[in-house]
Amino acid sequence: QGAGRPLGRRAVADATDLAWGYQTCTEVYQPMPTYGLPTDFYIPSAINQTAYFASCQKQWGMVPRPNWEEHHFGGAHIRAGSNIFLTNGQLDPWRSAGIQSLEMVRGQGHTVDGTIIIRTMKDAAHHLDLRAANPADPPEVTAVRLEERAAIGRWIADWAANGTGTA
């Protein structure tokens, strides 16, 4: 593709697959074994971590760090963080692995400063709020996008006004 020319659909899909392949080898290691019926509809397949790591080493020159996300972002213990907006789509099967409420963040009596926002969007799938707007978007997704924009604006304004802020 030449400079300034848009990528075709296949090129975009290939780039997305390539980016996801890189992420799963570097920072989002998520082995997914399959068990077959009645658990799922895939052919049973166990995870061969040794082979997976070797494949990542060959393709990207590095191996996955299985606990990187938990260590880097604090996992369910993100209460020490600030300026975090988490969304879950009600139709998203990944939702069950995500942080879905502030109660999960508060833990044993810990408070949250108000800059951790969690929303579950009705009739929405995985990261629909991060995609371009579409006339078919559910109203709740449109509302969450506006809330995200407002929250990020507040965080930037707080940082700009205070020189430090929580940004």
Side-chain angles (χ1 to χ4, degrees):
Q1 300 289 334
R5 289 183 25 205
L7 293 172
R9 284 187 178 183
R10 183 67 248 160
V12 170
D14 289 346
T16 299
D17 289 345
L18 191 64
W20 181 243
Y22 177 79
Q23 275 193 298
T24 59
C25 280
T26 56
E27 57 195 35
V28 188
Y29 175 66
Q30 297 176 344
M32 293 179 239
T34 57
Y35 304 100
L37 295 173
T39 306
D40 56 56
F41 59 89
Y42 296 104
I43 296 171
S45 173
I47 299 301
N48 180 335
Q49 189 177 38
T50 303
Y52 190 89
F53 279 34
S55 173
C56 289
Q57 180 67 43
K58 181 179 178 182
Q59 185 168 8
W60 303 109
M62 58 187 67
V63 296
R65 298 169 287 170
N67 298 315
W68 181 83
E69 286 178 292
E70 295 290 321
H71 292 265
H72 191 76
F73 295 115
H77 305 288
I78 64 170
R79 63 183 156 267
S82 63
N83 301 352
I84 301 169
F85 202 119
L86 301 172
T87 59
N88 293 288
Q90 186 185 37
L91 304 177
D92 183 2
W94 293 99
R95 176 173 59 106
S96 63
I99 298 170
Q100 298 184 49
S101 73
L102 286 175
E103 293 307 314
M104 294 175 75
V105 176
R106 286 188 182 100
Q108 298 97 10
H110 294 278
T111 58
V112 178
D113 73 359
T115 66
I116 298 177
I117 302 165
I118 301 170
R119 297 291 181 262
T120 299
M121 301 170 292
K122 182 180 178 189
D123 299 323
H126 187 63
H127 61 64
L128 182 57
D129 56 313
L130 301 179
R131 295 181 179 267
N134 184 297
D137 286 337
E140 198 161 335
V141 172
T142 302
V144 164
R145 283 190 187 115
L146 293 172
E147 189 178 1
E148 289 166 338
R149 182 173 290 160
I152 293 167
R154 283 191 309 274
W155 300 334
I156 292 169
D158 181 48
W159 175 81
N162 298 318
T164 56
T166 54

